[in-house]
Amino acid sequence: MLHLATEAAAHPTVSEGVLWAILAAPFVGWALIVLYVRKLPLVAGWLAAAAVGVACVLSYVVLFNVIAKGGIAVHTHEWFRAGDLVVNFGVRIDGLTAVMLCVVTSVAFLVQVYSNGYMKGDPGIGRYFAHMCLFTTSMIGLVLADNLFMIFIFWELVGLCSYLLIGFWFHKPSAAAAAKKAFIVTRIGDLGLLAALLLIYTRNDGNFDVSAIQAWALNSGTPGYLVTLFALGIFAGAVGKSAQFPLQVWLPDAMEGPTPVSALIHAATMVAAGVYLMARFFPVLEASPDARHVVAWIGAATALIGATIALVQTDFKRVMAYSTVSQLGLMMLGLGALGYVAAIFHLLTHAFFKSLLFLSSGNVNHATNTFDMRLMGGLRKQMPITLVTCVIGSLSLAGVVPLAGFWSKDEILLDAWRDNRGLWVVASLVSAMTAFYMFRAIFLVFFGEYKGGQPVDHHDEDSHFHGDPAHPHEAPLVMWLPLVILAVPAIGAGIFALNHGFRNLIVDALPLEIADQIKSESSFKWGVAIASSAFAAGGILLAWAIYYKQWFSSRSIRMGFAPLTNLFENKWFFDRLYEDFFVKLVLQRGWNRLLELNDKYVVDGVVNGSARVASMASDRLRFIQSGQIQGYGLGIAAGVVAVVIAVYAANPL
Amino acid sequence: MSYDEAQGYVVLSTLAQPLLAALIILFIPATRKMAIRYVSLFFATLMLGLSVYIFTAYQIGGDSIQMEISWAWVENTAFLGPRGISLHLGIDGIAALMVLLTGIVAFAATLVSWKLDYRPKDFFILFWVLVAGVYGTFFALDLFFWFFFYELAVVPLYLLIGVWGSTRKEYGAMKLTLMLVGGSVLIWIGIFAIFNAAGLHTFDLQQLWAAGADGTIDRNTQKIFFPFFVIGCGVLAALWPFHTWSPDGHMAAPTAVSMVHAGVLMKLGAFGIIRLGIQLLPEGAEFWMPGLMVLGTIGAVYGAAAALTQRDFKLISGYSSVSHMGYVLMGLATMNSIGITGAVLQMFSHGVMTALVFLMIGALYDQAHTRDLRDFGGIAKVMPWWVVCYTIAGLANVGLPGLSGFTAEFHIFVGTFETYPLFGGLAIFAAALAAGYMLRMFSVVFFGPFNPRWKDRLHDITPLEGVAASALIASMVVMGVWWAPFTDRVSHTVTQLVGVTG
């Protein structure tokens, strides 16, 4: 079955089998690992890499086909039908899908290769690769899905895999708690998505298809408030998954998972799924100005909160985590400012340079047995490759010309400038802070004196650290090669923007009227570009002055801004608010105590009262209760037999 | 004998199997414990086969009642006319699914009871009588026999809990029995009132349903007696505020009884609301359903919120059952086909899921003799398969797509949103709480540092428990991935119900 969503005759000609094969390859990898090679770490690891590698190669085949042909193709099949409810299972291929497929599978492949080094010697390695394959499958499913119902299903499955992988080292209480927190917090957002799904079912004749929902939103006959409600529903889902304010609290804790997991799931793919979801339903934002303002300002708040907390973190990986929160906020801000192309472009470049940064933090951890930057320093001598790649990633993230991050961030800033100067101010502040915290981290980790790392605890039987933190060393080939490969797009991905190539590719995924409008806008403005470069340079220089030259002591600056530092170090008090107020006070002390009392005194009071009456009555009937269970059983059985005989006697066969 | 007639005998023999099992065990000496177990397993397997057959042989698009068989018992005497009271059995799409549920859960419960060592003879006799009552209730198309089987299922419960139970078993058993008997009294009164109001001199349900639909049973009578049936059956379905027996009863009950009780018996209550409420008194249903929606929603939210701070495994599952049965009642109260279909699917889904949960709790309790969450920690290390099974049950409970819970809850949410958007929102809120109580338990019990107290004292599930768990997990996965066989059968019946919209 095939139908064309656009009027254009052109559409991707890649066969449906290839698309399903992309989904199936990592799934087969998962099944093989679970069934046969759980106990063989080397086989499981390379099997996982190979399975994802196949999906990756096929994704590029699809991408080139889409670049050559343009347009949209949908292949869909009926899955089940219950009354009016018809749910399809299908794939949709267009520029947006193709780009996302390549991002997901490329990063996933490199991370799987890297994991073969990083996870070496871990007793649960089979389980690790199985979960990673299942995650990749779910993520691919999410991207390929042609209807909201399927999106929801895979959306939940990526959440499950994220839960399992954050809690991978489940014997650590912090990991178990982080996994729980991540699942519950994202689940709260997911319920918004579920509500949006139900809204579509009841208000759009049960048609969940992406194109149908886009058309529904753009149809002038659709009541505006419904479109806004729908947009806010899916945005609630995106807020959960993409760690936006006020549900941002789970992502930093999710760093309890293994570092490659953080690189793949909590930097490059799953957390970006929220941005993808909003982009997929971009016409909804076009149709509802209220919703898009909410998206833009939530994004701005998230970007600011994330960046400010990243300024004061002492944990290398958490700097990156808060940076991710902040950059995702920036993407949302871009989408809210109608920067469809800018947001997706930033998603693409961010996926590469942020996974690169996470993997380099993994290398540092591999050498020093810690993520605490106060125990590091001076690693530039021992870890030159990691240093160079990490600096490239940071420059790209900071938005320095001509690296990839500069081009994508610049487009977001431009869209913010066009839409609302307030958004632009926030975004610019955030970029300055980004440059500062990244180079603060680099100076603390790679320059100065080495502070010895974290000594190995030999009593901890679950630890698999094999090196000697006192003598750090460069990571092995499987661990530095993926970094070098990721550094290439982190430097050069800006080239895709040349001649509006990237824009034209992904804009084809939208309905024609919106696509034409986006194509008519310019995407570069000298003033914005120069301003953003100045902010980035300022941030880097400040970090250099404080942490390398030490012209000012960081301690005195902290003292100077004591109230702010306090606010940032306590993560704006969100965790305290949620845990102490909502969970402990409202839920445990208040609500549940009330329920218990109600059950105990009100409802049971009645029951126990009648029980007393009954027991008085039964005192008189005690002679029946012989206490012989056999007697009771016999009595019941005899009764049954009597009934059967009576029925039979009344009406013989 | 024609094909249709032969199908009727399949239904009859399915009902006869558990009675036959009880009868045979009655004549086995109590010391021959293995013989008793093998006989039970033989019949359990047979019943599972018959139940699967009945489910698959149900014709979608066929008659509204299939596999019928009817034997008149008392007729043309005193106040009874032709077909006054008859053993009239048959199934519709709803009953077909419930029969499948009974077969699966009874099979799993038999396997789990293998290690029961205290008076297995008496245990299995009572157990099979209970199962016979359950089958009978799902099959019965005669009001008198419906009630007879309903009581047959409920009565052995008192002894099963009181004798083989654990924590505060006498209290739990007494509380449960009192509340259920109170409910039965209401149903009994209602039955005679409706019998009189219809004036047909018969207890035949099909004739009475017709009388309810065409107004022979007048509007006011329907309005007055609908609450009798809904509250009477609602007690068994843990309808808030008549749910308080449920946590205590579950806490006291032995593993197999918890499985059958939460898995199947509670569904009898919801089934009764369909049979005696929606089908018998459609006008009463139309009038009262908004009230049931309110109570169901309170139950769904209340149960989930109460489960959040419990420390006993069984109390968590007990309150979780209150919450899920609240969803069932919400689905029924929508009075639209998708919501009621969802309610029936949820009856099945909750049945297999909760049976699995109680199976796992039992497997742990038998070894640890405590059910306090705080006594555990890091169990995943010593009981990996136990954790995997429990996690799957928990995720179905949370409504994860791909497992049966999502299939059912999605239908209920859709149905509720169509008629009562506000209550739909509350239902979704309860689903968020479900994630809270489930994951809290996971993180405290399965994960975290291993409590050295259990070193070498806990062993993973036995092969028998593994087989039982696999049967339950398979049902959850099949229903989660391939909805059609389930939704087709149920909605075939539901769309024919009088007073049910779209």
Side-chain angles (χ1 to χ4, degrees):
Chain A
M1 237 188 304
L2 176 106
H3 77 266
L4 301 179
T6 58
E7 293 160 27
H11 60 84
T13 51
V14 65
S15 81
E16 194 186 349
V18 174
L19 300 173
W20 290 116
I22 296 175
L23 183 63
F27 186 75
V28 170
W30 172 76
L32 290 178
I33 293 172
V34 169
L35 293 175
Y36 300 113
V37 296
R38 250 177 316 135
K39 305 262 150 85
L40 307 171
L42 209 62
V43 183
W46 290 106
L47 181 68
V52 177
V54 169
C56 184
V57 170
L58 292 176
S59 298
Y60 281 96
V61 170
V62 170
L63 178 69
F64 290 124
N65 184 275
V66 174
I67 290 175
K69 306 282 181 182
I72 303 166
V74 176
H75 306 271
T76 194
H77 309 271
E78 186 177 308
W79 180 17
F80 61 84
R81 169 193 293 274
D84 304 339
L85 176 69
V86 182
V87 175
N88 293 328
F89 199 84
V91 288
R92 176 192 169 98
I93 190 72
D94 56 26
L96 182 59
T97 306
V99 167
M100 288 298 295
L101 274 181
C102 291
V103 170
V104 170
T105 54
S106 309
V107 176
F109 173 67
L110 292 172
V111 167
Q112 300 281 40
V113 170
Y114 179 91
S115 300
N116 275 298
Y118 190 82
M119 298 301 287
K120 199 171 185 176
D122 193 288
I125 193 162
R127 183 164 53 96
Y128 171 85
F129 282 110
H131 289 342
M132 286 293 258
C133 278
L134 190 62
F135 169 78
T136 312
T137 311
S138 316
M139 193 65 210
I140 291 172
L142 171 60
V143 171
L144 273 175
D146 80 322
N147 65 65
L148 188 59
F149 197 93
M150 263 176 83
I151 289 180
F152 181 75
I153 286 177
F154 286 113
W155 184 267
E156 291 289 295
L157 288 180
V158 290
L160 172 69
C161 296
S162 159
Y163 168 74
L164 293 171
L165 283 164
I166 295 171
F168 180 73
W169 287 316
F170 58 78
H171 49 82
K172 280 164 53 186
S174 55
K180 176 182 75 168
K181 184 170 173 180
F183 194 89
I184 294 176
V185 172
T186 53
R187 182 89 190 161
I188 292 171
D190 292 353
L191 296 170
L193 182 58
L194 180 60
L197 191 66
L198 296 171
L199 182 101
I200 280 298
Y201 175 76
T202 51
R203 296 287 181 270
N204 190 32
D205 297 331
N207 195 338
F208 298 119
D209 288 350
V210 169
S211 309
I213 294 174
Q214 291 178 343
W216 170 79
L218 291 175
N219 184 343
S220 54
T222 311
Y225 77 95
L226 282 181
V227 179
T228 303
L229 273 179
F230 174 75
L232 293 179
I234 55 171
F235 184 57
V239 164
K241 275 276 185 295
S242 293
Q244 300 291 295
F245 165 81
L247 300 182
Q248 81 282 17
V249 291
W250 68 269
L251 183 55
D253 290 23
M255 297 303 128
E256 290 295 338
T259 300
V261 169
S262 310
L264 176 61
I265 301 182
H266 305 115
T269 55
M270 186 190 84
V271 290
V275 178
Y276 166 76
L277 181 74
M278 298 314 287
R280 185 90 275 180
F281 293 102
F282 185 69
V284 176
L285 292 182
E286 281 272 0
S288 168
D290 293 342
R292 82 173 177 85
H293 289 139
V294 172
V295 172
W297 284 103
I298 292 275
T302 311
L304 197 63
I305 291 170
T308 50
I309 300 175
L311 293 176
V312 296
Q313 289 298 307
T314 52
D315 181 306
F316 194 23
K317 208 171 157 191
R318 290 202 181 221
V319 172
M320 243 88 87
Y322 281 106
S323 164
T324 305
V325 169
S326 165
Q327 295 297 311
L328 290 166
L330 216 53
M331 292 176 214
M332 286 294 180
L333 185 157
L335 277 172
L338 293 182
Y340 168 78
V341 180
I344 295 300
F345 195 29
H346 198 56
L347 189 162
L348 169 90
T349 59
H350 178 261
F352 290 119
F353 60 64
K354 192 51 76 62
S355 52
L356 162 59
L357 286 171
F358 267 103
L359 294 185
S360 61
S361 85
N363 280 359
V364 169
N365 171 256
H366 190 256
T368 63
N369 194 28
T370 183
F371 286 108
D372 192 334
M373 295 191 290
R374 291 168 299 188
L375 302 176
M376 300 177 187
L379 291 173
R380 69 178 186 284
K381 289 170 217 136
Q382 292 90 351
M383 309 183 71
I385 305 172
T386 306
L387 168 72
V388 171
T389 49
C390 187
V391 168
I392 289 171
S394 302
L395 286 172
S396 196
L397 170 58
V400 171
V401 182
L403 277 71
F406 167 76
W407 301 101
S408 56
K409 195 189 66 185
D410 183 61
E411 284 195 31
I412 289 184
L413 285 168
L414 179 65
D415 284 310
W417 173 267
R418 282 212 194 96
D419 188 58
N420 183 316
R421 296 294 143 85
L423 290 176
W424 178 80
V425 170
V426 173
S428 301
L429 259 176
V430 168
S431 359
M433 283 191 263
T434 307
F436 176 79
Y437 64 64
M438 272 330 293
F439 279 85
R440 167 179 176 264
I442 285 189
F443 291 128
L444 286 175
V445 171
F446 291 102
F447 293 86
E449 289 294 306
Y450 184 55
K451 314 210 175 47
Q454 173 79 42
V456 180
D457 178 4
H458 292 288
H459 301 293
D460 182 3
E461 55 188 78
D462 295 309
S463 164
H464 66 281
F465 189 82
H466 292 307
D468 175 12
H471 302 96
H473 54 90
E474 181 59 279
L477 175 75
V478 282
M479 290 172 68
W480 65 253
L481 191 61
L483 269 69
V484 173
I485 297 173
L486 281 169
V488 175
I491 297 171
I495 203 163
F496 300 143
L498 217 63
N499 256 336
H500 304 308
F502 185 76
R503 186 182 80 184
N504 295 344
L505 176 65
I506 66 164
V507 157
D508 269 354
L510 293 174
L512 279 181
E513 56 265 46
I514 298 181
D516 290 342
Q517 184 193 332
I518 292 179
K519 280 184 185 168
S520 66
E521 288 165 357
S522 71
S523 62
F524 192 78
K525 196 171 178 147
W526 277 103
V528 173
I530 290 169
S532 90
S533 296
F535 281 124
I540 295 173
L541 281 176
L542 193 61
W544 178 75
I546 298 175
Y547 294 98
Y548 186 72
K549 284 289 170 190
Q550 298 183 332
W551 288 339
F552 325 97
S553 93
S554 61
R555 179 187 293 262
S556 67
I557 298 170
R558 292 163 79 90
M559 302 298 266
F561 293 97
L564 278 182
T565 326
N566 192 25
L567 180 68
F568 300 159
E569 279 178 347
N570 285 292
K571 310 173 206 165
W572 293 59
F573 296 100
F574 278 106
D575 283 299
R576 296 277 292 278
L577 174 73
Y578 295 158
E579 274 155 35
D580 293 353
F581 184 72
F582 285 120
V583 176
K584 292 213 176 101
L585 197 69
V586 176
L587 208 62
Q588 294 179 353
R589 295 257 169 83
W591 174 234
N592 269 285
R593 188 90 191 102
L594 209 68
L595 295 184
E596 270 172 32
L597 292 177
N598 177 54
D599 264 10
K600 204 162 182 174
Y601 294 106
V602 183
V603 185
D604 278 3
V606 179
V607 178
N608 293 344
S610 49
R612 237 165 276 136
V613 175
S615 81
M616 280 195 303
S618 70
D619 277 350
R620 320 255 156 110
L621 298 169
R622 185 165 284 166
F623 68 94
I624 300 175
Q625 294 190 7
S626 58
Q628 281 290 322
I629 302 144
Q630 291 227 1
Y632 297 138
L634 198 63
I636 294 177
V640 171
V641 171
V643 170
V644 171
I645 291 172
V647 169
Y648 183 77
N651 197 331
L653 275 171
Chain B
M1 200 193 297
S2 73
Y3 174 75
D4 286 339
E5 226 176 305
Q7 296 286 68
Y9 282 97
V10 174
V11 165
L12 184 70
S13 76
T14 310
L15 174 59
Q17 300 306 328
L19 292 172
L20 199 57
L23 197 66
I24 291 175
I25 294 171
L26 195 64
F27 293 107
I28 300 175
T31 47
R32 306 277 309 272
K33 289 179 179 172
M34 282 320 279
I36 292 164
R37 288 172 190 146
Y38 278 115
V39 167
S40 289
L41 181 61
F42 171 77
F43 279 99
T45 316
L46 198 62
M47 275 177 253
L48 176 62
L50 285 167
S51 302
V52 172
Y53 173 77
I54 290 174
F55 180 74
T56 46
Y58 182 82
Q59 306 278 318
I60 301 153
D63 297 340
S64 57
I65 299 288
Q66 302 179 11
M67 305 188 182
E68 255 184 298
I69 188 168
S70 181
W71 290 351
W73 182 41
V74 187
E75 54 185 2
N76 298 325
T77 60
F79 57 97
L80 290 169
R83 303 186 64 193
I85 300 176
S86 54
L87 184 65
H88 184 184
L89 307 176
I91 55 161
D92 58 6
I94 298 171
L97 186 57
M98 291 299 104
V99 166
L100 179 66
L101 170 69
T102 312
I104 295 169
V105 172
F107 173 74
T110 309
L111 287 180
V112 171
S113 307
W114 201 263
K115 56 188 175 187
L116 185 121
D117 207 45
Y118 178 67
R119 311 186 76 149
K121 174 175 172 175
D122 309 293
F123 177 86
F124 275 112
I125 291 175
L126 290 168
F127 178 77
W128 288 123
V129 169
L130 185 154
V131 171
V134 172
Y135 271 124
T137 315
F138 290 139
F139 289 140
L141 292 168
D142 179 280
L143 198 48
F144 176 86
F145 274 102
W146 190 93
F147 187 72
F148 169 77
F149 286 123
Y150 181 86
E151 288 297 294
L152 192 64
V154 169
V155 171
L157 210 51
Y158 175 71
L159 291 171
L160 283 170
I161 295 176
V163 176
W164 287 271
S166 51
T167 323
R168 290 209 299 167
K169 57 186 183 184
E170 290 85 4
Y171 174 77
M174 178 53 93
K175 184 170 171 183
L176 177 146
T177 310
L178 275 179
M179 292 189 75
L180 295 186
V181 167
S184 296
V185 170
L186 288 178
I187 301 175
W188 197 224
I189 295 170
I191 286 176
F192 281 107
I194 295 306
F195 175 81
N196 270 327
L200 298 173
H201 305 292
T202 177
F203 281 97
D204 192 74
L205 266 176
Q206 277 177 301
Q207 293 183 43
L208 289 171
W209 288 340
D214 66 17
T216 312
I217 304 171
D218 73 86
R219 213 180 148 70
N220 284 332
T221 314
Q222 294 206 12
K223 280 189 200 166
I224 293 167
F225 287 101
F226 183 83
F228 280 68
F229 290 138
V230 166
I231 294 174
C233 296
V235 172
L236 190 49
L239 167 69
W240 189 91
F242 308 104
H243 67 277
T244 55
W245 59 267
S246 163
D248 285 318
H250 283 144
M251 192 158 76
T255 304
V257 175
S258 284
M259 286 170 68
V260 172
H261 183 202
V264 184
L265 268 177
M266 287 173 89
K267 279 74 207 174
L268 285 188
F271 186 75
I273 294 178
I274 299 175
R275 281 280 192 260
L276 308 187
I278 296 172
Q279 286 184 283
L280 187 58
L281 306 172
E283 298 208 55
E286 195 193 332
F287 180 78
W288 282 107
M289 276 313 185
L292 186 63
M293 176 58 81
V294 173
L295 294 184
T297 311
I298 294 176
V301 176
Y302 175 103
L308 267 176
T309 50
Q310 299 305 325
R311 293 188 184 123
D312 185 306
F313 282 114
K314 278 202 167 179
L315 279 181
I316 293 180
S317 304
Y319 279 111
S320 149
S321 291
V322 172
S323 177
H324 282 86
M325 290 309 288
Y327 282 148
V328 170
L329 300 171
M330 290 176 76
L332 294 179
T334 59
M335 287 303 275
N336 57 42
S337 64
I338 201 154
I340 296 180
T341 303
V344 178
L345 295 177
Q346 174 79 330
M347 282 154 73
F348 180 85
S349 161
H350 176 252
V352 286
M353 175 199 86
T354 206
L356 182 57
V357 166
F358 281 118
L359 196 170
M360 291 301 134
I361 294 172
L364 183 66
Y365 182 74
D366 287 346
Q367 303 179 45
H369 302 288
T370 169
R371 285 192 308 255
D372 194 319
L373 300 187
R374 293 166 303 175
D375 289 342
F376 297 99
I379 298 298
K381 216 164 191 169
V382 285
M383 302 175 77
W385 286 109
W386 183 84
V387 165
V388 168
C389 294
Y390 209 146
T391 308
I392 292 174
L395 293 172
N397 187 326
V398 171
L400 189 88
L403 295 169
S404 58
F406 175 72
T407 313
E409 281 171 25
F410 184 76
H411 281 81
I412 294 175
F413 292 162
V414 167
T416 314
F417 257 83
E418 273 191 348
T419 336
Y420 305 95
L422 175 68
F423 290 100
L426 287 169
I428 289 183
F429 173 66
L433 295 179
Y437 65 73
M438 266 298 148
L439 293 204
R440 164 175 168 264
M441 194 189 75
F442 288 4
S443 77
V444 173
V445 177
F446 302 173
F447 308 134
F450 180 63
N451 185 342
R453 172 180 164 188
W454 303 114
K455 199 165 166 57
D456 302 323
R457 283 181 57 198
L458 290 181
H459 304 283
D460 215 339
I461 50 175
T462 63
L464 276 179
E465 286 164 342
V467 172
S470 313
L472 296 167
I473 291 174
S475 341
M476 294 193 305
V477 172
V478 170
M479 186 170 166
V481 177
W482 190 31
W483 307 16
F486 300 89
T487 51
D488 286 351
R489 279 172 179 74
V490 175
S491 64
H492 172 235
T493 295
V494 169
T495 44
Q496 294 175 17
L497 297 180
V498 176
V500 171
T501 54

